[in-house]
Amino acid sequence: MYKLFLCLRYLRSRIIAYFAMMGVALCVAMLVIVVSVMNGFLEKIETAAKGLFGDIVIEGSGSYGLGRYDEFIAVLKGGEFPLQTQFKAASGDDGTVVFTANARPADMWAMRRGSPDDKRDRKISLPGKATLRADAKKLGELSGRFELSEANELRFLPDSASASLVPQNSGTGLILTDCRVELPPAVAQVEAASPFIFTYGELRIPGQTHYRNPVQIAGIRLPQRAEVSDFEDGLFVQGEQATWTFDPPIALMRKRIEEDRRNIGRILEREIARRNSEGAAGEGPLPERLRNAMYFHDQGLLILQNAERFQKPLRDAVEELRQAEKSGAAEARKEQLEAKLETLVERSGLRPPDQRVILGLGLPGLSFRTEKGETIRILVPGHQVVLYIWPLSGSDDPTRITPNVRRLTIVDDNKSGVSSIDSRMLYLPFDTLQELNNMSATYSAGTPSEIVEPARCSQIHLKVRGQRIGEKRLRKICRDVENLWRDFHEWFPKASRTDVSVQTWRQRQASVVGPIETQRTLVVVMFAVISLVSVVLIFVIFYMIVVQKTKDIGVLKAIGASDGGVAWIFLAYGATIGFLGAILGTIGGILFVHNINPIHDWMAETIGFAPWSRDTFMFDEIPNTVNPSAVIMIVLGAIGAGLLGAMVPSIRAARMQPVEALRYE
Amino acid sequence: MSRPNGQLAIDVQGVHKSYRLGRVTLKVLRGVSLQVERGRFVAVVGASGSGKSTLLHLAGVLDRQDSGTIKINGVDMQSVGAAGRNRIRCRDIGFVFQFYHLMGELNVLENVMLPAMVDSSALGWLHKRRGAKAARARAMDLLEKLGLDDRLKHRPRELSGGERQRVAIARALINDPDVLLADEPTGNLDSKTGRQIMRLLKSFNDAGQTIVMVTHDASLVKECDRVEHLRDGRLNA
């Protein structure tokens, strides 16, 4: 009891103890801040990279890209795999109709590959669907099972519900088309996969001839994109929606633009008030730019308002055209309807859903940032842009590339938080970009059903099951995927022309992640060395305290305190200083990290010192995630330092003979 | 505490003690023998540097002799380990120092209670709680007897020399020791205060407390039962 009592008393009445505590607190705060910012930086890169590419990226090395991606995805993660075989009806032994076909080798491979144990000589039975036709007339959708016998004979057995759709004894006129077999996953860890097209182009704005901006263009599928990345989180219009599309409701777009416009209005008022209070002459450049942005918002709202009126006529025209096509109306009539539809689209002011674009929020000239870091949009949904794409794929003669031009309506914008992406990237519907980039399927001139080159994508992005999967596990999955692709490529030789690489997000970002990881280690080591100063500081302070307390030690021993008891007092003293200092430092460090961006802005404003450059560091904001395990390590380190500093003086105190201590001058 | 009954509280036999000061070996005690019966008030008088304090430190188990035997209550200190020596220092012996050696961080009451806390920390939790209460009551009682009951919350630096020495005496007596050892208890006080302290010690002795005091001031020893003179490291009564 006396030990704790004395320890607390010493703590309470020694100013020097507070100094030691402050020393520890400063060191701890310093480490917490540095490690947090560095970790946050890495984490942001990770999230950004994963947000863009998912966990794993499959990519062909040339400009040809990857073909048969949907088939590959079906084999990879399980799902509907299209069989390239036509089934013909035949009478079964019992008089029922069965569908048989000679299985294509690739289909057999897929079915065998997808079955639980990949054995060549076993009967395979998998569920699936097919469209039943009689002499080109569609009779209905059948579901049932596809069976592959040991002799590689493929059969389709409709289930009892579907069997009633099949006319009995109708002979051999029946065929099955569009057969899809449901495959189990080949690599079970893959949760989702999505094809992705990446290319370059030039962005122009109609009516603004001087605006020409090189951009990177991503072709994505919505809403499936959200399964592999967190693309949807950064969407301006649809961020809070449950599903995402290139055709969001017009009312929603208007609502968001109105909110955004009000927000700009507030910033404008604030800016004018600020300039008035400073007594500055004139309005200055910012209010003018804000007014300009508001003008574009108003324009966007007008366009959308107009488009809203055309929604019903457009729907009707589309329906009319569909009916005409279905009923086999005359070509002239169809052309007339198409022209009408075209006129309506033109008058509505919005391009059809396949001609829409989502901008990256940060494209130069289309938005800007105020000094306080607020992003002001200029071009909002509703406006149109023109995209020039020089297709890199599909042309064997690079000297004769002609651009594909497309007018597109902006429907949304996306902020990934990585400024190098947001300032360059825009997103197009996958199929649209596929066509613009000459990646669509090409067919043989002689036999139009024969595919010369399949439709292709640039990359396939994979999401792996679970959170925070280690690099080692990801690499293992990469190898499995790569092996599967090699296998797949044997049966689908047109799927790629060159080597295909399968990389984890970390491997793709190695040039960025590597140096930062090295930097973090280096900085932590450097700061740990600096923190040694605090150990020395505590040691010196303790030595002083013990020396000052030598007579007390003598008295304690004279009244019967044990060596251990005396050592305990000073060790506990050291540990307490270490602990309290660490707690103080942690609180201070965490508070600092949490407010690092306001502090940075404040510094920039008051003393004009802004060490964080948004361009160099890729992110708009200084990362500020505190890693609990790192903080625990630092706190333990600080307590250890306190103990270490107190150890030598405590042992010296404990070993003293009472008389020696009492005589000490 | 007990009346003189012939039992030896302290039995020092032929003790030698020397110190090394660099190359010189200083022979401080040369075969000192001292027997103190229970209930006695014994004074050891000698000039400065005669070895009085060394003798007292050895008797108080604060130091180890080179040769000879020291018995406290009949127990040979040579045969007792570190824990046993701590226990004897804590329970059987009370020490009063010339320079009081009070702890500046603690108030009067806490200074007095400290040995009781050290003692109770060797016992179980229940004893500790009871011990703490009892120690507090005993400390208050002692301080009242010593006329310090209005100074309980004061720090040592706020007290006069005489008051500090009285606090030191209270601290030495808190664990009800068999022997009170006083090293020049009046050495740092004026003669009037010194006499007060002597009267106090005498009153405790009258109540049965065995006391061994060393002093260089022969005028103080008239209250004592027996006076030993230490000269050149040897005692002669």
Side-chain angles (χ1 to χ4, degrees), chain A residues 2 9 13-14 549 551 555-560 562 659 662-663, chain B residues 19 62-63 86 89-90 97 101 103 105-106 110 118 121 171:
Chain A
Y2 74 98
R9 272 310 155 87
S13 51
R14 298 259 128 195
K549 294 275 120 195
K551 286 215 168 133
V555 173
L556 279 170
K557 294 208 154 174
I559 63 174
S562 62
V659 169
L662 283 168
R663 282 213 198 102
Chain B
Y19 291 109
L62 299 185
D63 209 350
N86 288 339
R89 275 187 220 132
C90 184
F97 304 98
H101 290 329
M103 290 198 183
E105 282 86 1
L106 310 185
E110 288 161 349
V118 172
S121 69
R171 179 178 66 187

PDB file of all heavy atoms in Angstrom, chain A residues 2 9 13-14 549 551 555-560 562 659 662-663, chain B residues 19 62-63 86 89-90 97 101 103 105-106 110 118 121 171:
ATOM      1  N   TYR A   2       1.905   1.226   0.858  1.00  0.00           N
ATOM      2  CA  TYR A   2       2.759   2.427   0.948  1.00  0.00           C
ATOM      3  C   TYR A   2       3.413   2.720  -0.383  1.00  0.00           C
ATOM      4  O   TYR A   2       3.697   3.881  -0.695  1.00  0.00           O
ATOM      5  CB  TYR A   2       3.810   2.242   2.055  1.00  0.00           C
ATOM      6  CG  TYR A   2       4.919   1.292   1.696  1.00  0.00           C
ATOM      7  CD1 TYR A   2       6.144   1.757   1.220  1.00  0.00           C
ATOM      8  CD2 TYR A   2       4.755  -0.078   1.830  1.00  0.00           C
ATOM      9  CE1 TYR A   2       7.157   0.891   0.887  1.00  0.00           C
ATOM     10  CE2 TYR A   2       5.756  -0.958   1.495  1.00  0.00           C
ATOM     11  CZ  TYR A   2       6.961  -0.467   1.031  1.00  0.00           C
ATOM     12  OH  TYR A   2       7.952  -1.331   0.685  1.00  0.00           O
ATOM     13  N   ARG A   9       2.139  10.135  -4.422  1.00  0.00           N
ATOM     14  CA  ARG A   9       2.586  11.389  -3.814  1.00  0.00           C
ATOM     15  C   ARG A   9       3.739  12.022  -4.591  1.00  0.00           C
ATOM     16  O   ARG A   9       3.774  13.217  -4.825  1.00  0.00           O
ATOM     17  CB  ARG A   9       3.026  11.150  -2.367  1.00  0.00           C
ATOM     18  CG  ARG A   9       1.906  11.245  -1.373  1.00  0.00           C
ATOM     19  CD  ARG A   9       1.165  12.528  -1.627  1.00  0.00           C
ATOM     20  NE  ARG A   9      -0.195  12.468  -1.159  1.00  0.00           N
ATOM     21  CZ  ARG A   9      -0.528  12.770   0.091  1.00  0.00           C
ATOM     22  NH1 ARG A   9       0.382  13.137   0.960  1.00  0.00           N
ATOM     23  NH2 ARG A   9      -1.774  12.700   0.458  1.00  0.00           N
ATOM     24  N   SER A  13       3.619  15.758  -6.475  1.00  0.00           N
ATOM     25  CA  SER A  13       4.349  16.925  -5.979  1.00  0.00           C
ATOM     26  C   SER A  13       5.671  17.167  -6.693  1.00  0.00           C
ATOM     27  O   SER A  13       6.515  17.877  -6.188  1.00  0.00           O
ATOM     28  CB  SER A  13       4.573  16.753  -4.481  1.00  0.00           C
ATOM     29  OG  SER A  13       5.141  15.497  -4.243  1.00  0.00           O
ATOM     30  N   ARG A  14       5.832  16.569  -7.866  1.00  0.00           N
ATOM     31  CA  ARG A  14       7.110  16.779  -8.564  1.00  0.00           C
ATOM     32  C   ARG A  14       6.848  17.400  -9.929  1.00  0.00           C
ATOM     33  O   ARG A  14       6.314  16.739 -10.816  1.00  0.00           O
ATOM     34  CB  ARG A  14       7.824  15.443  -8.781  1.00  0.00           C
ATOM     35  CG  ARG A  14       8.198  14.719  -7.541  1.00  0.00           C
ATOM     36  CD  ARG A  14       9.642  14.917  -7.246  1.00  0.00           C
ATOM     37  NE  ARG A  14       9.787  15.376  -5.878  1.00  0.00           N
ATOM     38  CZ  ARG A  14      10.893  15.912  -5.389  1.00  0.00           C
ATOM     39  NH1 ARG A  14      11.941  16.073  -6.163  1.00  0.00           N
ATOM     40  NH2 ARG A  14      10.951  16.313  -4.157  1.00  0.00           N
ATOM     41  N   LYS A 549      15.978  11.740  -3.860  1.00  0.00           N
ATOM     42  CA  LYS A 549      15.177  10.990  -2.882  1.00  0.00           C
ATOM     43  C   LYS A 549      16.022   9.987  -2.104  1.00  0.00           C
ATOM     44  O   LYS A 549      15.453   9.115  -1.440  1.00  0.00           O
ATOM     45  CB  LYS A 549      14.050  10.246  -3.624  1.00  0.00           C
ATOM     46  CG  LYS A 549      13.032  11.134  -4.251  1.00  0.00           C
ATOM     47  CD  LYS A 549      11.974  11.512  -3.262  1.00  0.00           C
ATOM     48  CE  LYS A 549      11.946  13.009  -3.083  1.00  0.00           C
ATOM     49  NZ  LYS A 549      11.228  13.444  -1.932  1.00  0.00           N
ATOM     50  N   LYS A 551      17.755  10.109   0.563  1.00  0.00           N
ATOM     51  CA  LYS A 551      17.508  10.068   2.008  1.00  0.00           C
ATOM     52  C   LYS A 551      16.163   9.408   2.309  1.00  0.00           C
ATOM     53  O   LYS A 551      16.047   8.651   3.275  1.00  0.00           O
ATOM     54  CB  LYS A 551      17.551  11.479   2.582  1.00  0.00           C
ATOM     55  CG  LYS A 551      18.968  11.978   2.646  1.00  0.00           C
ATOM     56  CD  LYS A 551      19.219  12.848   3.832  1.00  0.00           C
ATOM     57  CE  LYS A 551      20.726  13.028   3.947  1.00  0.00           C
ATOM     58  NZ  LYS A 551      21.112  14.408   4.154  1.00  0.00           N
ATOM     59  N   VAL A 555      15.354   6.314   4.731  1.00  0.00           N
ATOM     60  CA  VAL A 555      14.312   6.269   5.768  1.00  0.00           C
ATOM     61  C   VAL A 555      13.405   5.076   5.523  1.00  0.00           C
ATOM     62  O   VAL A 555      13.095   4.306   6.441  1.00  0.00           O
ATOM     63  CB  VAL A 555      13.491   7.576   5.760  1.00  0.00           C
ATOM     64  CG1 VAL A 555      12.311   7.462   6.715  1.00  0.00           C
ATOM     65  CG2 VAL A 555      14.366   8.748   6.129  1.00  0.00           C
ATOM     66  N   LEU A 556      12.994   4.904   4.241  1.00  0.00           N
ATOM     67  CA  LEU A 556      12.097   3.788   3.910  1.00  0.00           C
ATOM     68  C   LEU A 556      12.721   2.465   4.334  1.00  0.00           C
ATOM     69  O   LEU A 556      12.050   1.593   4.874  1.00  0.00           O
ATOM     70  CB  LEU A 556      11.808   3.780   2.401  1.00  0.00           C
ATOM     71  CG  LEU A 556      10.733   4.744   1.946  1.00  0.00           C
ATOM     72  CD1 LEU A 556      10.707   4.829   0.422  1.00  0.00           C
ATOM     73  CD2 LEU A 556       9.363   4.293   2.461  1.00  0.00           C
ATOM     74  N   LYS A 557      14.026   2.356   4.066  1.00  0.00           N
ATOM     75  CA  LYS A 557      14.680   1.091   4.438  1.00  0.00           C
ATOM     76  C   LYS A 557      14.790   0.985   5.949  1.00  0.00           C
ATOM     77  O   LYS A 557      14.670  -0.114   6.509  1.00  0.00           O
ATOM     78  CB  LYS A 557      16.049   1.020   3.778  1.00  0.00           C
ATOM     79  CG  LYS A 557      15.916   0.936   2.284  1.00  0.00           C
ATOM     80  CD  LYS A 557      17.056   0.217   1.683  1.00  0.00           C
ATOM     81  CE  LYS A 557      16.620  -0.388   0.385  1.00  0.00           C
ATOM     82  NZ  LYS A 557      17.751  -0.982  -0.315  1.00  0.00           N
ATOM     83  N   ALA A 558      15.039   2.119   6.616  1.00  0.00           N
ATOM     84  CA  ALA A 558      15.162   2.096   8.076  1.00  0.00           C
ATOM     85  C   ALA A 558      13.847   1.689   8.731  1.00  0.00           C
ATOM     86  O   ALA A 558      13.852   1.119   9.814  1.00  0.00           O
ATOM     87  CB  ALA A 558      15.606   3.468   8.586  1.00  0.00           C
ATOM     88  N   ILE A 559      12.735   1.993   8.080  1.00  0.00           N
ATOM     89  CA  ILE A 559      11.459   1.599   8.681  1.00  0.00           C
ATOM     90  C   ILE A 559      10.970   0.266   8.127  1.00  0.00           C
ATOM     91  O   ILE A 559       9.827  -0.124   8.337  1.00  0.00           O
ATOM     92  CB  ILE A 559      10.374   2.692   8.517  1.00  0.00           C
ATOM     93  CG1 ILE A 559      10.066   2.930   7.045  1.00  0.00           C
ATOM     94  CG2 ILE A 559      10.780   3.972   9.235  1.00  0.00           C
ATOM     95  CD1 ILE A 559       8.916   3.889   6.828  1.00  0.00           C
ATOM     96  N   GLY A 560      11.855  -0.423   7.402  1.00  0.00           N
ATOM     97  CA  GLY A 560      11.550  -1.808   7.070  1.00  0.00           C
ATOM     98  C   GLY A 560      11.085  -2.071   5.649  1.00  0.00           C
ATOM     99  O   GLY A 560      10.669  -3.179   5.331  1.00  0.00           O
ATOM    100  N   SER A 562      11.258  -3.155   1.896  1.00  0.00           N
ATOM    101  CA  SER A 562      12.169  -4.107   1.246  1.00  0.00           C
ATOM    102  C   SER A 562      12.799  -3.482   0.007  1.00  0.00           C
ATOM    103  O   SER A 562      12.327  -2.454  -0.496  1.00  0.00           O
ATOM    104  CB  SER A 562      11.396  -5.357   0.849  1.00  0.00           C
ATOM    105  OG  SER A 562      10.395  -5.006  -0.084  1.00  0.00           O
ATOM    106  N   VAL A 659      22.120   2.750   5.638  1.00  0.00           N
ATOM    107  CA  VAL A 659      23.043   3.737   6.215  1.00  0.00           C
ATOM    108  C   VAL A 659      23.663   4.608   5.128  1.00  0.00           C
ATOM    109  O   VAL A 659      23.734   5.822   5.234  1.00  0.00           O
ATOM    110  CB  VAL A 659      24.153   3.004   6.997  1.00  0.00           C
ATOM    111  CG1 VAL A 659      25.261   3.960   7.373  1.00  0.00           C
ATOM    112  CG2 VAL A 659      23.566   2.378   8.237  1.00  0.00           C
ATOM    113  N   LEU A 662      21.170   7.070   4.037  1.00  0.00           N
ATOM    114  CA  LEU A 662      20.898   8.115   5.042  1.00  0.00           C
ATOM    115  C   LEU A 662      22.053   9.098   5.121  1.00  0.00           C
ATOM    116  O   LEU A 662      21.867  10.285   5.378  1.00  0.00           O
ATOM    117  CB  LEU A 662      20.693   7.467   6.418  1.00  0.00           C
ATOM    118  CG  LEU A 662      19.328   6.804   6.603  1.00  0.00           C
ATOM    119  CD1 LEU A 662      19.329   5.954   7.862  1.00  0.00           C
ATOM    120  CD2 LEU A 662      18.227   7.856   6.688  1.00  0.00           C
ATOM    121  N   ARG A 663      23.258   8.593   4.887  1.00  0.00           N
ATOM    122  CA  ARG A 663      24.435   9.465   4.989  1.00  0.00           C
ATOM    123  C   ARG A 663      24.612  10.303   3.734  1.00  0.00           C
ATOM    124  O   ARG A 663      25.417  11.210   3.700  1.00  0.00           O
ATOM    125  CB  ARG A 663      25.692   8.593   5.169  1.00  0.00           C
ATOM    126  CG  ARG A 663      25.870   8.080   6.562  1.00  0.00           C
ATOM    127  CD  ARG A 663      27.368   7.995   6.875  1.00  0.00           C
ATOM    128  NE  ARG A 663      27.563   7.119   8.022  1.00  0.00           N
ATOM    129  CZ  ARG A 663      27.978   5.861   7.910  1.00  0.00           C
ATOM    130  NH1 ARG A 663      28.273   5.362   6.728  1.00  0.00           N
ATOM    131  NH2 ARG A 663      28.106   5.127   8.982  1.00  0.00           N
TER     132      ARG A 663
ATOM    133  N   TYR B  19      35.624   1.266   8.276  1.00  0.00           N
ATOM    134  CA  TYR B  19      35.239   1.800   6.959  1.00  0.00           C
ATOM    135  C   TYR B  19      36.478   2.023   6.146  1.00  0.00           C
ATOM    136  O   TYR B  19      37.512   2.388   6.657  1.00  0.00           O
ATOM    137  CB  TYR B  19      34.502   3.142   7.115  1.00  0.00           C
ATOM    138  CG  TYR B  19      33.134   3.009   7.735  1.00  0.00           C
ATOM    139  CD1 TYR B  19      32.892   3.461   9.025  1.00  0.00           C
ATOM    140  CD2 TYR B  19      32.089   2.443   7.017  1.00  0.00           C
ATOM    141  CE1 TYR B  19      31.646   3.346   9.599  1.00  0.00           C
ATOM    142  CE2 TYR B  19      30.842   2.321   7.588  1.00  0.00           C
ATOM    143  CZ  TYR B  19      30.622   2.772   8.877  1.00  0.00           C
ATOM    144  OH  TYR B  19      29.388   2.648   9.428  1.00  0.00           O
ATOM    145  N   LEU B  62      20.727  -1.326  10.538  1.00  0.00           N
ATOM    146  CA  LEU B  62      20.839  -0.511   9.319  1.00  0.00           C
ATOM    147  C   LEU B  62      22.163  -0.783   8.625  1.00  0.00           C
ATOM    148  O   LEU B  62      22.401  -0.307   7.522  1.00  0.00           O
ATOM    149  CB  LEU B  62      20.739   0.977   9.663  1.00  0.00           C
ATOM    150  CG  LEU B  62      19.441   1.440  10.314  1.00  0.00           C
ATOM    151  CD1 LEU B  62      19.444   2.956  10.491  1.00  0.00           C
ATOM    152  CD2 LEU B  62      18.239   1.022   9.497  1.00  0.00           C
ATOM    153  N   ASP B  63      23.045  -1.536   9.284  1.00  0.00           N
ATOM    154  CA  ASP B  63      24.379  -1.782   8.741  1.00  0.00           C
ATOM    155  C   ASP B  63      24.836  -3.139   9.265  1.00  0.00           C
ATOM    156  O   ASP B  63      24.192  -3.703  10.153  1.00  0.00           O
ATOM    157  CB  ASP B  63      25.318  -0.653   9.197  1.00  0.00           C
ATOM    158  CG  ASP B  63      26.439  -0.426   8.191  1.00  0.00           C
ATOM    159  OD1 ASP B  63      26.589  -1.260   7.272  1.00  0.00           O
ATOM    160  OD2 ASP B  63      27.157   0.587   8.332  1.00  0.00           O
ATOM    161  N   ASN B  86      14.336  -6.757   7.410  1.00  0.00           N
ATOM    162  CA  ASN B  86      13.333  -5.721   7.141  1.00  0.00           C
ATOM    163  C   ASN B  86      12.248  -5.740   8.209  1.00  0.00           C
ATOM    164  O   ASN B  86      11.802  -4.684   8.691  1.00  0.00           O
ATOM    165  CB  ASN B  86      12.672  -5.961   5.773  1.00  0.00           C
ATOM    166  CG  ASN B  86      13.614  -5.653   4.620  1.00  0.00           C
ATOM    167  OD1 ASN B  86      14.586  -4.914   4.800  1.00  0.00           O
ATOM    168  ND2 ASN B  86      13.347  -6.218   3.464  1.00  0.00           N
ATOM    169  N   ARG B  89      13.505  -4.270  11.444  1.00  0.00           N
ATOM    170  CA  ARG B  89      13.575  -2.804  11.333  1.00  0.00           C
ATOM    171  C   ARG B  89      12.190  -2.184  11.452  1.00  0.00           C
ATOM    172  O   ARG B  89      12.010  -1.113  11.990  1.00  0.00           O
ATOM    173  CB  ARG B  89      14.143  -2.415   9.971  1.00  0.00           C
ATOM    174  CG  ARG B  89      15.645  -2.407   9.916  1.00  0.00           C
ATOM    175  CD  ARG B  89      16.055  -1.844   8.557  1.00  0.00           C
ATOM    176  NE  ARG B  89      17.183  -2.595   8.052  1.00  0.00           N
ATOM    177  CZ  ARG B  89      17.280  -3.084   6.831  1.00  0.00           C
ATOM    178  NH1 ARG B  89      16.298  -2.902   5.982  1.00  0.00           N
ATOM    179  NH2 ARG B  89      18.330  -3.754   6.478  1.00  0.00           N
ATOM    180  N   CYS B  90      11.240  -2.912  10.876  1.00  0.00           N
ATOM    181  CA  CYS B  90       9.893  -2.351  10.814  1.00  0.00           C
ATOM    182  C   CYS B  90       9.177  -2.448  12.159  1.00  0.00           C
ATOM    183  O   CYS B  90       8.571  -1.489  12.612  1.00  0.00           O
ATOM    184  CB  CYS B  90       9.111  -3.090   9.745  1.00  0.00           C
ATOM    185  SG  CYS B  90       7.480  -2.438   9.481  1.00  0.00           S
ATOM    186  N   PHE B  97      16.269  10.072  14.030  1.00  0.00           N
ATOM    187  CA  PHE B  97      17.515  10.608  13.470  1.00  0.00           C
ATOM    188  C   PHE B  97      17.747  12.044  13.934  1.00  0.00           C
ATOM    189  O   PHE B  97      16.790  12.773  14.224  1.00  0.00           O
ATOM    190  CB  PHE B  97      17.457  10.597  11.937  1.00  0.00           C
ATOM    191  CG  PHE B  97      17.176   9.241  11.367  1.00  0.00           C
ATOM    192  CD1 PHE B  97      15.893   8.874  10.974  1.00  0.00           C
ATOM    193  CD2 PHE B  97      18.211   8.321  11.216  1.00  0.00           C
ATOM    194  CE1 PHE B  97      15.636   7.628  10.450  1.00  0.00           C
ATOM    195  CE2 PHE B  97      17.956   7.071  10.686  1.00  0.00           C
ATOM    196  CZ  PHE B  97      16.665   6.717  10.300  1.00  0.00           C
ATOM    197  N   HIS B 101      14.768  13.421   9.119  1.00  0.00           N
ATOM    198  CA  HIS B 101      14.482  12.638   7.903  1.00  0.00           C
ATOM    199  C   HIS B 101      12.998  12.391   7.710  1.00  0.00           C
ATOM    200  O   HIS B 101      12.553  11.253   7.541  1.00  0.00           O
ATOM    201  CB  HIS B 101      15.235  11.309   7.928  1.00  0.00           C
ATOM    202  CG  HIS B 101      16.715  11.468   7.766  1.00  0.00           C
ATOM    203  ND1 HIS B 101      17.283  12.483   7.034  1.00  0.00           N
ATOM    204  CD2 HIS B 101      17.739  10.736   8.245  1.00  0.00           C
ATOM    205  CE1 HIS B 101      18.584  12.378   7.074  1.00  0.00           C
ATOM    206  NE2 HIS B 101      18.904  11.330   7.822  1.00  0.00           N
ATOM    207  N   MET B 103       9.581  12.925   5.338  1.00  0.00           N
ATOM    208  CA  MET B 103       9.385  13.045   3.890  1.00  0.00           C
ATOM    209  C   MET B 103       8.605  14.301   3.556  1.00  0.00           C
ATOM    210  O   MET B 103       7.475  14.496   4.036  1.00  0.00           O
ATOM    211  CB  MET B 103       8.650  11.819   3.361  1.00  0.00           C
ATOM    212  CG  MET B 103       9.532  10.604   3.415  1.00  0.00           C
ATOM    213  SD  MET B 103       8.869   9.343   2.359  1.00  0.00           S
ATOM    214  CE  MET B 103      10.035   8.046   2.700  1.00  0.00           C
ATOM    215  N   GLU B 105       7.085  15.247   0.934  1.00  0.00           N
ATOM    216  CA  GLU B 105       5.843  15.120   0.159  1.00  0.00           C
ATOM    217  C   GLU B 105       4.652  14.739   1.027  1.00  0.00           C
ATOM    218  O   GLU B 105       3.520  14.824   0.592  1.00  0.00           O
ATOM    219  CB  GLU B 105       5.999  14.053  -0.929  1.00  0.00           C
ATOM    220  CG  GLU B 105       6.762  14.509  -2.150  1.00  0.00           C
ATOM    221  CD  GLU B 105       8.257  14.342  -1.974  1.00  0.00           C
ATOM    222  OE1 GLU B 105       8.677  13.856  -0.893  1.00  0.00           O
ATOM    223  OE2 GLU B 105       9.001  14.733  -2.878  1.00  0.00           O
ATOM    224  N   LEU B 106       4.938  14.245   2.250  1.00  0.00           N
ATOM    225  CA  LEU B 106       3.848  13.748   3.097  1.00  0.00           C
ATOM    226  C   LEU B 106       3.592  14.745   4.227  1.00  0.00           C
ATOM    227  O   LEU B 106       4.515  15.429   4.675  1.00  0.00           O
ATOM    228  CB  LEU B 106       4.219  12.390   3.705  1.00  0.00           C
ATOM    229  CG  LEU B 106       4.745  11.325   2.743  1.00  0.00           C
ATOM    230  CD1 LEU B 106       4.940  10.013   3.503  1.00  0.00           C
ATOM    231  CD2 LEU B 106       3.804  11.110   1.579  1.00  0.00           C
ATOM    232  N   GLU B 110       0.710  11.511   7.730  1.00  0.00           N
ATOM    233  CA  GLU B 110       1.170  10.486   6.787  1.00  0.00           C
ATOM    234  C   GLU B 110       2.592  10.033   7.104  1.00  0.00           C
ATOM    235  O   GLU B 110       2.920   8.848   7.000  1.00  0.00           O
ATOM    236  CB  GLU B 110       1.115  11.034   5.355  1.00  0.00           C
ATOM    237  CG  GLU B 110      -0.306  11.164   4.841  1.00  0.00           C
ATOM    238  CD  GLU B 110      -0.426  12.105   3.648  1.00  0.00           C
ATOM    239  OE1 GLU B 110       0.558  12.817   3.334  1.00  0.00           O
ATOM    240  OE2 GLU B 110      -1.505  12.138   3.041  1.00  0.00           O
ATOM    241  N   VAL B 118       4.060   0.324   5.813  1.00  0.00           N
ATOM    242  CA  VAL B 118       5.081  -0.633   5.370  1.00  0.00           C
ATOM    243  C   VAL B 118       4.826  -1.965   6.044  1.00  0.00           C
ATOM    244  O   VAL B 118       4.870  -3.020   5.400  1.00  0.00           O
ATOM    245  CB  VAL B 118       6.494  -0.107   5.710  1.00  0.00           C
ATOM    246  CG1 VAL B 118       7.535  -1.181   5.428  1.00  0.00           C
ATOM    247  CG2 VAL B 118       6.787   1.153   4.919  1.00  0.00           C
ATOM    248  N   SER B 121       1.677  -3.760   4.702  1.00  0.00           N
ATOM    249  CA  SER B 121       1.738  -4.236   3.326  1.00  0.00           C
ATOM    250  C   SER B 121       2.254  -5.661   3.259  1.00  0.00           C
ATOM    251  O   SER B 121       2.138  -6.321   2.246  1.00  0.00           O
ATOM    252  CB  SER B 121       2.593  -3.310   2.468  1.00  0.00           C
ATOM    253  OG  SER B 121       3.921  -3.415   2.865  1.00  0.00           O
ATOM    254  N   ARG B 171       6.783   8.804  14.629  1.00  0.00           N
ATOM    255  CA  ARG B 171       6.962   7.830  13.539  1.00  0.00           C
ATOM    256  C   ARG B 171       7.719   6.602  14.051  1.00  0.00           C
ATOM    257  O   ARG B 171       7.383   5.472  13.690  1.00  0.00           O
ATOM    258  CB  ARG B 171       7.738   8.473  12.391  1.00  0.00           C
ATOM    259  CG  ARG B 171       7.974   7.516  11.233  1.00  0.00           C
ATOM    260  CD  ARG B 171       8.695   8.156  10.088  1.00  0.00           C
ATOM    261  NE  ARG B 171      10.066   8.516  10.463  1.00  0.00           N
ATOM    262  CZ  ARG B 171      10.873   9.223   9.682  1.00  0.00           C
ATOM    263  NH1 ARG B 171      10.460   9.693   8.525  1.00  0.00           N
ATOM    264  NH2 ARG B 171      12.092   9.514  10.079  1.00  0.00           N
TER     265      ARG B 171
END
